[in-house]
Amino acid sequence: MVVKQNNLIAEVSETQILSSKGFSSKPFSILPTHHTESNPLSDSVHAMDMSDAVIVKSSRLKSVVWNDFDRIKKGDTCVAVCRHCKKKLSGSSTSGTSHLRNHLIRCQRRSSHGIAQYISAREKRKEGTLAIANFNIDQDTNKDDNTLSLVNIKFEQTQLKDDTVNTGTSNFDQRRSRFDLARMIILHGYPLAMVEHVGFRAFVKNLQPLFELVSLNRVEADCIEIYEREKKKVNEMLDKLPGKISLSADVWNAVGDAEYLCLTSNYIDESWQLRRRILNFIRIDPSHTEDMVSEAIMNCLMYWDIDRKLFSMILDSCSTCDNIAVRIGDRLLQNRFLYCNGQLFDIRCAANVINAMVQHALGAVSEIVIKIRETIGYIKSSQIILAKFNEMAKEVGILSQKGLCLDNASQWNSTYSMLEVALEFKDVLILLQENDAAYKVYLSDVEWERVTAVTSYLKLFVEVINVFTKNKYPTANIYFPELCDVKLHLIEWCKNSDEYISSLASRLRSKFDEYWEKCSLGLAVAAMLDPRFKMKLVDYYYPQIYGSMSASRIEEVFDGVKALYNEHSIGSPLASHDQGLAWQVSNGPLLLQGSAKDSRDRLMGFDKFLHETSQGEGTKSDLDKYLEEPLFPRNVDFNILNWWRVHTPRYPVLSMMARNVLGIPMAKVAPELAFNHSGRVLDRDWSSLNPATVQALVCSQDWIRSELEN
């Protein structure tokens, strides 16, 4: 509005000058120009007799706008003539140049002469001379394009008056556009330095000449400001969560030897949707001790004020992670923040365990895998050899639609596919060995047997990982049957008559059993909370796994379920202070609001007594009712979270427990990295930034993308 008023003042002033000089006798009034430039002042200037006018060339015309206007002087009056449409406007030095800029924006015949005319002198000195000629603006833009919506990105809507410029048809907000640019960089992971790329600057300037392109330092500051704003939203959301949080930790590699620790919250929100948000992305030194890493994680938990809300922590399987989990668990147990004395706190990533077993299995047959790669390379090295191979395949009677292919060594599922196809053509490869003297890389019968066994291992592992990563609702209940199946196969593989294969299976089983002993209780509890299975799935698998010891193992699971349920039902200090107190009494479920902490502590024994005696008087708890009712029919499209959302009024306590348990990410690997050996790698451009900026970019990117997905 300020610019618009200045334009009008400039026009009035110039009109008065022109009238006094006798150039126009038309009256004028101060009216908003809106979408048209037709006004008495423009008409009077346009009607000037320019026969004896002189073009003024002066070095004092500093504004780049004069690249599109000729300044013509007739007597004591100056007129600016548009070089594109020949329209005449006030050219007086007292009129300024805003009205000339506005005309250029609306001028239908204008063609841009390049970015150089719109970059400020400071930006010019920084970038050097720009030789970009004739970036033409397409004037035939389809009006329907205005209806397109860029996935409803919720960009910054705040406008500041000082940054707003009237372009004739709408207000241009410099600050808003700056933050739109910063959000775009965050959302898509672009390098910050793109704001200094000549091509990008040319594109933006020709698209919107009024936008003052920012420097790398400025866009970095804008990105950090966006991060601070988004962080407040995440903090408020975490504070209002109805349940607990499970925290997963991953190490990312950066350029050089740098490493970053990514801490991600996983939870089920108030609408029973499974959510995840990155909370911290902090640089760590590989030489940091376990104490230092544990302390860094605890600082992050306390910064977000979620140490009291933590339900479990998901780490990789390694000795370092063991010690970190113990240190953090001990700290939380001191404050009585964990359920079941921390039995469900330390959870390991199931996908990570599977990947570790895969690497061990492939390592055992690495020489055989190399031979198969060389064999495929030999067959594909010549069209003649390939044709000969295909002819032999027909003779043997192999009609497989699959063709021999080399694997991607960094993706172990592709190695499995290569071995699987090679086994299908085993007879053809043996025949090739007998008929082609040049083919010297071949497998013995023992090697074929061993690679057959390992390929069967890989087949199972691929199927299990696919269940983990392709499930529409990756809640904690889906893992138990898959991992029970893995354990049963390992038991069977150990019985192989080939000592080499049985020894390999034993080593794989040992790795898996370490995971199983630590996580089986959590897996079983999550399975129990699936209304399609309840305790029946445990009753089915445990006799196969434990044999004569199964009864005691099943009892351990049920005792764990009851203990976890009781801690939720009596509202102990172990539960979140914000959830209130909920338990069963003789008249059914009663929800009491939390009182002062010391009152709860004094009446802890009474709460437990009331709960136990009410159960003894014949009142059925949520857990009893749930387990006694028939199983829900198995359905491919079953959504367990929707089931618990609907049944929350019937099972108020058990649903609280389900929200916490089902939100545990038993496998924290991203789908695109499920079969990758190398893990997460930070983008090269972002790796070069300082750690604070990297955290701001990675976290903000995750938050903005999550907001778009909701």
Side-chain angles (χ1 to χ4, degrees):
M1 183 61 70
V2 174
V3 173
K4 186 174 181 180
Q5 291 176 347
N6 289 342
N7 293 348
L8 291 173
I9 293 171
E11 292 179 2
V12 172
S13 175
E14 186 62 19
T15 304
Q16 292 172 339
I17 294 173
L18 293 174
S19 299
S20 67
K21 298 294 181 179
F23 288 109
S24 174
S25 58
K26 295 181 180 180
F28 67 92
S29 60
I30 302 177
L31 296 173
T33 58
H34 296 293
H35 301 288
T36 177
E37 292 180 16
S38 179
N39 57 66
L41 175 59
S42 298
D43 293 340
S44 63
V45 173
H46 192 71
M48 288 176 56
D49 179 9
M50 307 300 293
S51 58
D52 58 345
V54 178
I55 297 178
V56 179
K57 294 184 179 180
S58 174
S59 60
R60 295 194 305 167
L61 301 178
K62 299 296 184 182
S63 176
V64 295
V65 77
W66 291 108
N67 292 337
D68 291 274
F69 285 91
D70 288 321
R71 192 164 187 257
I72 299 177
K73 186 173 184 180
K74 180 177 177 63
D76 295 332
T77 302
C78 290
V79 178
V81 179
C82 178
R83 294 179 180 178
H84 311 293
C85 65
K86 306 307 178 184
K87 189 173 185 65
K88 303 178 184 64
L89 301 169
S90 171
S92 171
S93 59
T94 61
S95 300
T97 58
S98 296
H99 64 299
L100 303 182
R101 288 178 178 273
N102 290 342
H103 168 76
L104 287 178
I105 293 171
R106 296 187 295 266
C107 181
Q108 295 298 311
R109 296 185 180 181
R110 170 182 173 266
S111 64
S112 174
H113 295 288
I115 189 174
Q117 60 181 324
Y118 294 115
I119 299 179
S120 66
R122 178 178 61 83
E123 295 285 344
K124 279 185 179 180
R125 287 193 297 271
K126 182 175 181 180
E127 294 203 2
T129 304
L130 297 176
I132 303 175
N134 296 326
F135 284 87
N136 293 325
I137 296 178
D138 185 0
Q139 297 297 335
D140 298 323
T141 304
N142 190 336
K143 293 182 180 180
D144 293 340
D145 290 345
N146 294 329
T147 63
L148 296 178
S149 174
L150 297 177
V151 294
N152 297 320
I153 296 178
K154 301 175 182 178
F155 280 170
E156 181 64 50
Q157 299 298 320
T158 305
Q159 294 185 355
L160 301 180
K161 291 182 179 180
D162 293 342
D163 291 318
T164 303
V165 178
N166 190 325
T167 63
T169 57
S170 62
N171 288 336
F172 168 69
D173 189 335
Q174 169 74 18
R175 180 176 173 82
R176 174 179 173 180
S177 294
R178 255 182 42 213
F179 281 97
D180 283 351
L181 173 62
R183 283 178 178 266
M184 177 190 72
I185 289 173
I186 292 171
L187 183 62
H188 301 293
Y190 297 143
L192 298 186
M194 72 175 294
V195 298
E196 297 182 345
H197 295 171
V198 172
F200 177 72
R201 297 177 75 86
F203 167 74
V204 172
K205 279 303 179 183
N206 287 324
L207 190 68
Q208 174 49 273
L210 294 181
F211 180 61
E212 295 180 10
L213 275 156
V214 297
S215 65
L216 188 151
N217 290 338
R218 177 70 263 175
V219 76
E220 181 178 8
D222 289 344
C223 289
I224 292 176
E225 184 171 340
I226 289 172
Y227 163 71
E228 293 296 337
R229 294 180 182 179
E230 295 295 327
K231 185 167 63 175
K232 290 181 180 179
K233 298 178 186 177
V234 174
N235 200 19
E236 292 173 358
M237 176 273 298
L238 292 175
D239 189 55
K240 296 176 182 177
L241 280 181
K244 295 281 189 173
I245 294 170
S246 291
L247 188 75
S248 59
D250 296 280
V251 174
W252 289 41
N253 296 315
V255 173
D257 297 328
E259 291 182 350
Y260 282 84
L261 181 65
C262 180
L263 300 179
T264 306
S265 62
N266 303 266
Y267 54 89
I268 294 174
D269 66 13
E270 67 283 350
S271 60
W272 284 92
Q273 296 296 314
L274 193 62
R275 306 292 189 194
R276 61 177 297 280
R277 295 288 188 277
I278 293 178
L279 299 182
N280 292 95
F281 197 79
I282 53 179
R283 183 165 181 172
I284 57 175
D285 193 302
S287 63
H288 282 177
T289 64
E290 296 158 359
D291 283 339
M292 296 171 68
V293 175
S294 302
E295 191 63 29
I297 294 175
M298 278 304 305
N299 289 339
C300 292
L301 294 176
M302 290 186 288
Y303 174 82
W304 289 98
D305 193 24
I306 59 172
D307 52 327
R308 61 192 174 87
K309 287 191 170 186
L310 207 60
F311 186 78
S312 64
M313 188 165 184
I314 300 83
L315 301 167
D316 293 334
S317 295
C318 62
S319 58
T320 300
C321 292
D322 287 342
N323 296 328
I324 291 174
V326 168
R327 284 176 169 81
I328 295 176
D330 288 345
R331 289 276 297 273
L332 297 177
L333 281 172
Q334 289 175 6
N335 295 317
R336 305 180 69 186
F337 287 154
L338 297 180
Y339 284 104
C340 293
N341 201 33
Q343 290 185 73
L344 298 179
F345 172 70
D346 184 7
I347 302 292
R348 298 307 163 94
C349 175
N352 178 262
V353 173
I354 297 293
N355 279 317
M357 290 194 294
V358 166
Q359 298 312 307
H360 199 76
L362 287 175
V365 292
S366 58
E367 293 182 1
I368 302 175
V369 172
I370 291 173
K371 285 186 177 182
I372 291 177
R373 287 188 184 124
E374 292 177 351
T375 294
I376 295 174
Y378 171 75
I379 294 171
K380 288 180 170 289
S381 65
S382 166
Q383 288 295 328
I384 296 175
I385 300 175
L386 182 59
K388 183 179 180 180
F389 177 83
N390 291 333
E391 188 63 30
M392 288 180 178
K394 291 180 181 179
E395 292 177 9
V396 175
I398 296 178
L399 303 176
S400 175
Q401 298 298 315
K402 299 177 181 178
L404 292 173
C405 58
L406 287 171
D407 66 330
N408 177 354
S410 65
Q411 298 284 332
W412 65 261
N413 59 328
S414 72
T415 302
Y416 158 71
S417 297
M418 179 186 71
L419 298 179
E420 182 186 40
V421 174
L423 286 170
E424 289 186 24
F425 288 97
K426 172 185 174 182
D427 293 339
V428 185
L429 294 173
I430 293 174
L431 189 61
L432 181 66
Q433 170 190 337
E434 297 172 353
N435 293 275
D436 188 346
Y439 175 49
K440 299 185 182 299
V441 182
Y442 54 86
L443 277 64
S444 66
D445 291 341
V446 172
E447 288 176 322
W448 278 117
E449 290 176 4
R450 291 177 178 177
V451 77
T452 299
V454 169
T455 302
S456 68
Y457 300 173
L458 298 181
K459 182 177 187 295
L460 174 65
F461 297 152
V462 166
E463 291 171 349
V464 170
I465 291 293
N466 282 334
V467 171
F468 293 170
T469 57
K470 295 182 179 180
N471 195 289
K472 189 176 181 180
Y473 312 106
T475 44
N477 59 299
I478 70 173
Y479 299 91
F480 182 73
E482 299 299 326
L483 295 172
C484 282
D485 206 35
V486 170
K487 187 165 179 62
L488 290 174
H489 274 85
L490 287 168
I491 294 172
E492 191 64 29
W493 292 340
C494 288
K495 301 175 183 178
N496 194 293
S497 58
D498 184 338
E499 185 178 350
Y500 184 86
I501 293 300
S502 62
S503 175
L504 171 61
S506 296
R507 293 194 297 273
L508 298 183
R509 181 178 176 180
S510 176
K511 286 181 176 293
F512 184 81
D513 285 347
E514 290 178 10
Y515 165 82
W516 182 259
E517 289 303 314
K518 187 180 293 291
C519 303
S520 59
L521 176 61
L523 293 167
V525 172
M528 185 279 302
L529 290 167
D530 189 327
R532 299 170 299 173
F533 306 115
K534 302 183 181 179
M535 283 296 295
K536 295 298 182 181
L537 206 56
V538 178
D539 294 338
Y540 169 72
Y541 276 113
Y542 272 31
Q544 300 178 62
I545 294 173
Y546 295 109
S548 60
M549 300 292 295
S550 61
S552 61
R553 289 286 188 164
I554 293 172
E555 188 66 24
E556 287 177 9
V557 171
F558 192 59
D559 288 344
V561 168
K562 289 190 294 185
L564 185 60
Y565 173 81
N566 289 338
E567 289 192 12
H568 279 83
S569 66
I570 63 177
S572 72
L574 306 180
S576 170
H577 301 329
D578 296 333
Q579 291 178 355
L581 308 180
W583 62 84
Q584 293 289 325
V585 293
S586 58
N587 294 325
L590 174 65
L591 181 67
L592 300 181
Q593 298 300 318
S595 57
K597 184 177 185 299
D598 58 346
S599 297
R600 285 207 300 269
D601 284 346
R602 286 196 299 270
L603 297 177
M604 177 69 67
F606 172 75
D607 292 338
K608 185 176 181 180
F609 166 78
L610 183 62
H611 174 73
E612 291 175 348
T613 54
S614 65
Q615 300 301 311
E617 294 170 359
T619 302
K620 290 185 177 180
S621 67
D622 285 8
L623 181 60
D624 293 332
K625 290 187 294 183
Y626 172 77
L627 293 176
E628 289 176 3
E629 291 176 353
L631 299 180
F632 191 82
R634 291 179 60 191
N635 189 309
V636 175
D637 297 324
F638 176 72
N639 184 335
I640 189 172
L641 296 182
N642 187 56
W643 191 92
W644 278 106
R645 180 183 63 82
V646 171
H647 289 81
T648 294
R650 179 166 177 76
Y651 309 112
V653 177
L654 197 60
S655 64
M656 186 190 308
M657 174 175 156
R659 189 192 298 273
N660 293 335
V661 174
L662 295 177
I664 301 174
M666 295 290 185
K668 59 186 176 63
V669 65
E672 65 273 13
L673 297 172
F675 303 99
N676 196 303
H677 301 323
S678 59
R680 300 300 294 261
V681 179
L682 185 64
D683 175 81
R684 175 175 292 275
D685 292 311
W686 285 12
S687 293
S688 62
L689 303 172
N690 70 73
T693 300
V694 172
Q695 174 168 252
L697 292 173
V698 172
C699 292
S700 298
Q701 182 185 77
D702 178 73
W703 300 338
I704 294 173
R705 286 179 175 177
S706 298
E707 188 176 4
L708 294 177
E709 292 171 359
N710 294 347

